[in-house]
Amino acid sequence: MAALKYAGLEDTDSEEELPPGWEERTTKDGWVYYANHLEEKTQWEHPKSGKRKRVAGDLPYGWEQETDENGQVYFVDHINKRTTYLDPRLAFTVEDNPVKSTTRQRYDGNSTAMEILQGRDLSERVVIITGANSGLGFETAKSLALHGAYVILACRNMSRANEAVQRILEEWHKAKVEAMTLDLASLHSVQHFAEAFKSKNVPLHMLICNAAVFAAPWSLTEDDLEATFQVNHLGHFYLVQLLEDILRRSSPARVVMVSSESHRFSEIKNSSGKLDFSLLSPSKKEFWAMVAYNRSKLCNILFSNELNRHLAPHGVTSNAVHPGNMIYSSIHRNWWVYTLLFTLARPFTKSM
């Protein structure tokens, strides 16, 4: 105790609490060291516990590490527009030789995209997201971009797509985001998009097929196909085929099909149990908007399953996902009845 008192360590409440005159700092590669301002010296070991530590995980989104003219590491918080020499990860340090945790992170209906990606470094990843100017697509694009990925927003409306890009850049000015034209209701547009992307000579690690129309009235595309079927399924099917070679070369890569639980309430077989192609692109007389949407989502799942069987041996996985029931976005905009239903359900469903 006499030695601790002489060293000025006896009046700290915790083994981890620093004595007066000491400061905790980090190196560029995340190792923690301790500065003694009274004696003007530094050391790797904690002055009280003798432990060596390092910070765990990556910086929170919006933060960036810089070095001043004296070689001192400091941190920039772009969200709150401030700088500090204190590493925001110091609250989550681990010992030099930690025991590997056996606890898995668990997520639930309240988890956000930013929470899922916390600590992930996606700086070497290239991502294409269809329909990314609003709703689920935008939240996905923003989350991936703020974690370092190069994200391409593939959208029909370039004005809204460029606005979405600016909103992401306002959160982090170094985000790598770009908008490109893609109209899934035109197979020519799909082909043109694929050619434009290939001309960039970059890999493709994630293709997220998110764009969709819901409860849209019957109409035919320029390719003489029913619009819901082409936009929700066939356009994506063609896009994947055109980009398959890049996905293979970029492995490990993945394709994500945003489907829906509503696929369970559909059928694409006739009374004889055989596939009925006329149900996929029905005439106006046989068209019902909700059924058309459900069938397109079933096609998403069937395609994803077969695509995974086909590409998994080449390092490319495919998954179909259900984003949640009646999430309030702009997808219900085509009919006021659905807008009312989504509004009534909003307090009880997952939000953006």
Side-chain angles (χ1 to χ4, degrees):
M1 290 297 296
L4 288 175
K5 184 176 181 179
Y6 178 79
L9 307 182
E10 89 291 355
D11 55 352
T12 58
D13 298 325
S14 165
E15 182 186 64
E16 299 302 321
E17 186 177 348
L18 288 172
W22 287 83
E23 181 185 1
E24 197 172 31
R25 296 178 179 174
T26 55
T27 63
K28 287 183 179 180
D29 51 359
W31 290 102
V32 178
Y33 69 98
Y34 304 90
N36 185 336
H37 294 293
L38 300 178
E39 301 181 12
E40 296 184 350
K41 68 175 184 178
T42 61
Q43 63 187 53
W44 294 109
E45 295 80 13
H46 190 286
K48 193 170 181 183
S49 68
K51 298 176 181 177
R52 291 193 178 200
K53 294 185 176 183
R54 57 183 174 83
V55 293
D58 296 324
L59 290 168
Y61 85 93
W63 285 79
E64 188 175 14
Q65 180 178 286
E66 301 283 1
T67 306
D68 64 20
E69 61 276 7
N70 298 318
Q72 178 84 26
V73 175
Y74 68 97
F75 302 88
V76 182
D77 179 359
H78 293 288
I79 304 299
N80 298 304
K81 296 179 174 55
R82 62 190 179 95
T83 61
T84 177
Y85 283 91
L86 185 66
D87 191 323
R89 299 167 296 176
L90 281 173
F92 306 99
T93 57
V94 295
E95 292 184 31
D96 192 358
N97 296 308
V99 177
K100 187 175 181 180
S101 174
T102 58
T103 303
R104 294 183 60 188
Q105 175 66 58
R106 295 183 180 275
Y107 304 108
D108 57 25
N110 295 315
S111 301
T112 66
M114 296 305 298
E115 290 171 349
I116 301 297
L117 292 175
Q118 178 64 41
R120 302 278 182 169
D121 180 9
L122 303 177
S123 57
E124 301 298 325
R125 295 286 184 260
V126 179
V127 184
I128 293 175
I129 306 175
T130 66
N133 61 281
S134 64
L136 295 171
F138 174 75
E139 293 299 326
T140 304
K142 180 181 72 171
S143 301
L144 293 171
L146 292 179
H147 284 82
Y150 168 33
V151 181
I152 294 175
L153 284 65
C155 305
R156 177 180 58 85
N157 189 318
M158 285 304 292
S159 175
R160 292 181 180 177
N162 287 323
E163 289 177 3
V165 167
Q166 290 304 312
R167 286 161 61 192
I168 295 173
L169 291 173
E170 286 174 5
E171 292 212 27
W172 188 32
H173 71 287
K174 290 188 177 182
K176 292 175 286 186
V177 285
E178 177 184 356
M180 292 180 63
T181 303
L182 172 64
D183 183 1
L184 292 164
S186 165
L187 297 181
H188 176 74
S189 175
V190 175
Q191 184 178 20
H192 184 268
F193 172 86
E195 292 171 352
F197 176 77
K198 288 180 178 180
S199 68
K200 294 178 178 294
N201 294 316
V202 295
L204 177 58
H205 302 101
M206 283 181 263
L207 173 56
I208 302 176
C209 300
N210 163 80
V213 292
F214 173 78
W218 183 89
S219 65
L220 291 178
T221 67
E222 64 181 48
D223 303 296
D224 289 326
L225 292 165
E226 192 278 313
T228 298
F229 171 65
Q230 179 165 336
V231 172
N232 292 8
H233 172 65
L234 194 63
H236 284 129
F237 177 90
Y238 188 38
L239 179 63
V240 173
Q241 305 308 307
L242 294 174
L243 298 178
E244 180 180 327
D245 57 335
I246 301 180
L247 287 164
R248 288 194 187 202
R249 292 198 302 268
S250 307
S251 65
R254 68 179 61 190
V255 177
V256 177
M257 303 295 303
V258 180
S259 182
S260 171
E261 276 288 334
S262 66
H263 80 277
R264 300 181 186 277
F265 309 105
S266 63
E267 184 58 78
I268 56 175
K269 294 179 181 180
N270 59 24
S271 57
S272 302
K274 295 182 179 180
L275 182 64
D276 187 349
F277 288 100
S278 66
L279 295 176
L280 299 180
S281 184
S283 64
K284 186 175 183 179
K285 182 180 179 180
E286 299 173 333
F287 178 82
W288 187 26
M290 193 66 212
V291 172
Y293 176 81
N294 294 348
R295 285 171 178 158
S296 71
K297 298 291 105 177
L298 176 59
C299 289
N300 289 160
I301 293 176
L302 295 175
F303 172 49
S304 178
N305 289 347
E306 177 60 21
L307 186 67
N308 189 71
R309 187 193 67 81
H310 176 61
L311 292 183
H314 304 282
V316 181
T317 60
S318 178
N319 295 279
V321 301
H322 169 56
N325 291 317
M326 300 184 72
I327 295 179
Y328 195 89
S329 65
S330 60
I331 196 171
H332 51 74
R333 63 185 178 275
N334 288 305
W335 193 25
W336 68 269
V337 173
Y338 285 115
T339 299
L340 177 61
L341 290 174
F342 273 76
T343 302
L344 292 173
R346 190 173 186 177
F348 311 102
T349 60
K350 187 175 175 66
S351 69
M352 289 295 171

